[in-house]
Amino acid sequence: METIVYNTKGTCATRITFERHDDNTIHNIRFEGGCNGNLKAVSKLCEGMTGEQIASKLLGNICGSKNTSCADQLARAVTGQ
């Protein structure tokens, strides 16, 4: 298991922390900042998914006029972008 800390770019959340297990599943996703309730829901929904599964659902999701979102940043974090 590896703990990863990802500093976001262009979002209200400033950091995402998660664990990547040997089978590439993602666990214990935690956002710092951002919309607390929504990001707790995203974390719960993605719990136990692989990085590829998360990226296939969330990569490219935008927030308002921004070209990214907290969910998009999570997808980038789990795929190492």
Side-chain angles (χ1 to χ4, degrees):
M1 177 201 65
E2 172 185 20
T3 299
I4 297 172
V5 177
Y6 181 84
N7 294 314
T8 63
K9 298 168 188 74
T11 61
C12 297
T14 57
R15 183 174 294 137
I16 305 168
T17 305
F18 59 92
E19 297 171 358
R20 181 188 317 275
H21 289 222
D22 293 338
D23 60 357
N24 196 34
T25 57
I26 306 300
H27 299 272
N28 299 317
I29 303 164
R30 294 177 305 282
F31 288 84
E32 290 182 30
C35 302
N36 187 39
N38 288 335
L39 295 176
K40 283 181 183 175
V42 168
S43 298
K44 285 182 179 184
L45 290 169
C46 292
E47 177 67 23
M49 295 174 77
T50 66
E52 291 78 16
Q53 289 170 322
I54 292 170
S56 73
K57 298 207 179 282
L58 301 180
L59 193 61
N61 186 63
I62 61 170
C63 181
S65 62
K66 299 175 185 177
N67 63 355
T68 190
S69 67
C70 295
D72 178 63
Q73 290 292 296
L74 174 59
R76 293 170 186 272
V78 299
T79 57
Q81 294 185 25

